[in-house]
Amino acid sequence: MNAKNTMNTQHMRHIKRAALAAGVGAVLVAGVLVFVPDGDKGPPEPGPEARARAAVGAGSPASLPDVAALIRDREAWLRKNPEDAESWAVLGAAYVERGGLRADTAYYPKAEQALRRSLKVTPGERRNPAATAGLASLANARHDYTAARKWGEAVRKADPARWATYPVLIEAYSGLGDYPAAGKALDKLRALRPDNPRVLSVSSAVYRDRGWREDAAAKADEAFTEAGTPAEQAGALHALAGLAWDRGEPKEALRYYDAALKIARDHHQSLAGRARALAALNRADEAGQDYQAAIAERPLPEYALELGELYESQGLDGDARSQYALLRDRTARARVDGVNEELLLARFESDHGNPKAAVDRLEAEWRRGHRSMQMSDALGWALFKAGEPAKALPYAKRATGQGMRSALFAYHRGEIERALEMDSPARRHLEEALRTNPRFSPLLAPKARAALDALGELPDGGPKDMHGNGEYTPLSPAPSTPAASASSSPSSAPSSAPSSAPSSAPSSSAAPSAPATRSAVASASGTPSKPVSTPTPPVSTQSAARN
């Protein structure tokens, strides 16, 4: 009991510290001109342009007003100095950032024009790494991970010590499903800048993908402690909230989302996350209001999908259709601006539209080399919904076998196995989904419970075959026609190992050690999660030793 009280006290201190940071920071900035003596020779507070330029250059979160000020500043400068390649690169990177902050993909063509203008003035990734790295970031924002890898690797080859390149590469590798390469890039990044808030946030995200929850929470907690701006603090709290959500702790997630919104009121990711948590707590009306507010500020199609499914779970089919129409509209606009929303559209089509169209979309993406866990899960589910569960199963196994603890992945695999009359595995994965996060979706979690009830209890006497016959279902190189694309992406092609084992395990066998102190997330719940023992550790031995 005393230990639990201590952990709850630590959690409350963490949240209070987060809330206090916003107020104290505002007081210090507002009061600096009043309280600093004229004779003080300390460095002046950076202006909004300088803050945004530093954040954009490092790939760190920046506030929308600061980014807007930087854009105005560089646009005015370039009207008089059109041959300044560095300023064109800064402007292009700022356009990418503003497009993401405002969920306005119209900034991406402008960013590409500015970055290519910079390279025209000063060509070459060696002479102009900022513009080349900017094109990599832009490609990531457009979900074109193949192009992002190409540009990012060009910069890394020209300047391996340029640390800001590695977060871009890690995002690209993860989008392609090349998790070993992402782990190696993280090793290099941490060797270059181990205590940088951006590096800590990237480490947390990689650990989360690999299923190492305690380590992910520890790094996010460190990122909050080391954060130098409200935007960085809000991003770290958002990561902590996401980890709580993954563990099926919506109350805990809600606390972190609220703390992030106190620091950065326009942090739309946390507003949508708050809506997700409220829905899980059966506060549907409040969840709908938060979703609507998030969409009004940042009309991201994924928010429309989540709100539509919330309405559908309540029987509000007309309202759901309105949100699905918004999703189609926003993805169509994004396509014009060069953004690839095929994964999101396929997820929508699988559950609410045309599953065969979803299969076609995802097979095309697979052939392009986009083979992440999310893509594997979506393709398996689309094939299942299109009436091909046998073809779906290898993809579901690939999605669930690479480390991430996802209730959605487990649910999808369980339903596919149930359709194939694999009752014992189906029961196991449906139970896993509900154990991982019993309220992972207002629409699908009730279906998972119903499916589990339909399977009933295990028969008396235990399983008939304790050992199996050693057979497995290999993942076809191409989704429907084997041998079509096996060689198109060697780094992410399935291996000959059983499909229950990850096909993209890093070369080393070490895993990040558990943190020496309890993370804020673990302290808050009183039931800290444990790192999952999987054959796919997120990083190499060198990184694990430094953890």
Side-chain angles (χ1 to χ4, degrees):
M1 189 62 157
N2 290 337
K4 184 175 181 180
N5 290 337
T6 300
M7 288 186 288
N8 288 334
T9 300
Q10 291 173 345
H11 167 66
M12 293 307 299
R13 287 175 180 170
H14 186 82
I15 294 296
K16 289 177 180 178
R17 179 157 56 99
L20 184 62
V24 171
V27 171
L28 290 176
V29 171
V32 69
L33 295 178
V34 177
F35 295 107
V36 176
D38 293 341
D40 187 275
K41 295 183 180 181
E45 288 288 328
E49 298 90 346
R51 289 195 301 267
R53 186 164 185 166
V56 168
S60 299
S63 72
L64 183 59
D66 286 358
V67 173
L70 176 60
I71 288 174
R72 288 193 300 270
D73 178 74
R74 289 301 87 188
E75 285 178 339
W77 171 262
L78 286 165
R79 280 193 286 269
K80 299 177 181 179
N81 303 274
E83 299 303 305
D84 185 346
E86 181 182 356
S87 289
W88 280 115
V90 170
L91 181 61
Y95 282 146
V96 174
E97 182 72 10
R98 185 163 187 177
L101 287 170
R102 292 198 57 82
D104 187 350
T105 58
Y107 281 96
Y108 295 155
K110 297 175 67 174
E112 184 171 4
Q113 291 174 5
L115 293 165
R116 292 193 180 277
R117 177 66 180 271
S118 177
L119 284 173
K120 184 177 180 181
V121 175
T122 304
E125 55 271 7
R126 188 174 298 278
R127 297 176 59 204
N128 194 349
T132 310
L135 286 170
S137 296
L138 173 61
N140 276 334
R142 285 171 157 171
H143 307 150
D144 184 357
Y145 302 112
T146 302
R149 178 179 60 186
K150 181 190 75 170
W151 291 113
E153 288 182 344
V155 179
R156 181 181 61 182
K157 183 178 180 180
D159 185 4
R162 190 178 190 276
W163 74 270
T165 305
Y166 292 93
V168 179
L169 274 172
I170 290 168
E171 183 176 352
Y173 290 141
S174 298
L176 294 170
D178 191 353
Y179 300 110
K184 292 176 182 177
L186 179 61
D187 285 346
K188 180 64 175 179
L189 175 62
R190 293 182 62 195
L192 291 170
R193 297 293 292 271
D195 298 324
N196 181 274
R198 171 65 170 158
V199 177
L200 293 167
S201 294
V202 171
S203 300
S204 177
V206 171
Y207 290 164
R208 180 183 182 182
D209 281 351
R210 308 303 334 127
W212 298 94
R213 290 175 171 173
E214 284 190 349
D215 297 276
K219 292 303 177 188
D221 203 28
E222 287 182 58
F224 174 80
T225 301
E226 299 296 328
T229 67
E232 288 179 341
Q233 291 176 326
L237 289 166
H238 180 79
L240 289 164
L243 288 161
W245 170 257
D246 289 346
R247 292 195 311 275
E249 298 176 359
K251 289 183 179 179
E252 189 71 7
L254 186 61
R255 292 190 186 98
Y256 282 115
Y257 287 132
D258 284 342
L261 289 166
K262 286 180 180 179
I263 289 176
R265 294 183 180 277
D266 62 347
H267 201 255
H268 61 93
Q269 304 97 317
S270 290
L271 187 58
R274 185 176 188 275
R276 195 176 307 121
L278 288 169
L281 293 169
N282 298 319
R283 295 162 63 179
D285 290 343
E286 294 173 79
Q289 292 171 5
D290 276 0
Y291 272 129
Q292 290 168 0
I295 291 171
E297 290 294 323
R298 308 287 190 272
L300 286 170
E302 52 263 41
Y303 297 168
L305 177 58
E306 290 187 29
L307 179 55
E309 291 186 340
L310 175 62
Y311 285 147
E312 191 172 337
S313 71
Q314 297 174 285
L316 303 173
D317 294 344
D319 291 330
R321 285 193 295 271
S322 296
Q323 294 305 316
Y324 298 152
L326 175 61
L327 178 149
R328 291 184 182 277
D329 176 68
R330 297 303 302 183
T331 53
R333 293 188 192 185
R335 188 183 303 114
V336 172
D337 297 324
V339 179
N340 179 350
E341 292 286 12
E342 294 300 281
L343 176 58
L344 179 66
L345 279 168
R347 285 175 52 207
F348 165 72
E349 292 289 358
S350 293
D351 285 321
H352 311 287
N354 183 346
K356 182 59 173 66
V359 171
D360 292 342
R361 290 179 185 278
L362 294 173
E363 285 182 339
E365 289 301 300
W366 193 269
R367 287 189 291 270
R368 292 182 63 200
H370 289 184
R371 302 180 181 183
S372 65
M373 289 179 279
Q374 291 79 8
M375 192 67 69
S376 299
D377 170 72
L379 180 50
W381 187 242
L383 284 164
F384 164 72
K385 296 289 282 189
E388 299 185 86
K391 290 183 179 179
L393 185 57
Y395 296 96
K397 287 183 175 181
R398 181 184 174 100
T400 56
Q402 299 191 72
M404 177 181 281
R405 298 291 301 278
S406 168
L408 181 65
F409 292 1
Y411 165 68
H412 285 167
R413 180 170 175 177
E415 286 284 38
I416 292 167
E417 289 167 334
R418 190 165 73 101
L420 294 170
E421 299 183 353
M422 301 168 62
D423 289 358
S424 292
R427 184 181 292 105
R428 182 170 68 252
H429 288 108
L430 291 169
E431 287 175 346
E432 179 184 338
L434 294 171
R435 184 171 60 250
T436 300
N437 186 348
R439 291 165 285 193
F440 67 93
S441 163
L443 196 60
L444 299 181
K447 293 182 179 181
R449 294 187 190 94
L452 191 58
D453 290 342
L455 286 171
E457 298 295 330
L458 282 170
D460 292 337
K464 294 181 180 180
D465 183 359
M466 290 293 291
H467 305 289
N469 58 12
E471 295 180 356
Y472 65 93
T473 307
L475 181 63
S476 302
S480 293
T481 55
S485 61
S487 61
S488 62
S489 180
S491 62
S492 58
S495 70
S496 59
S499 57
S500 60
S503 59
S504 56
S507 57
S508 71
S509 60
S513 59
T517 58
R518 292 186 184 273
S519 69
V521 169
S523 299
S525 65
T527 54
S529 59
K530 297 180 180 179
V532 180
S533 296
T534 80
T536 54
V539 291
S540 70
T541 306
Q542 182 181 5
S543 178
R546 288 193 301 271
N547 189 47

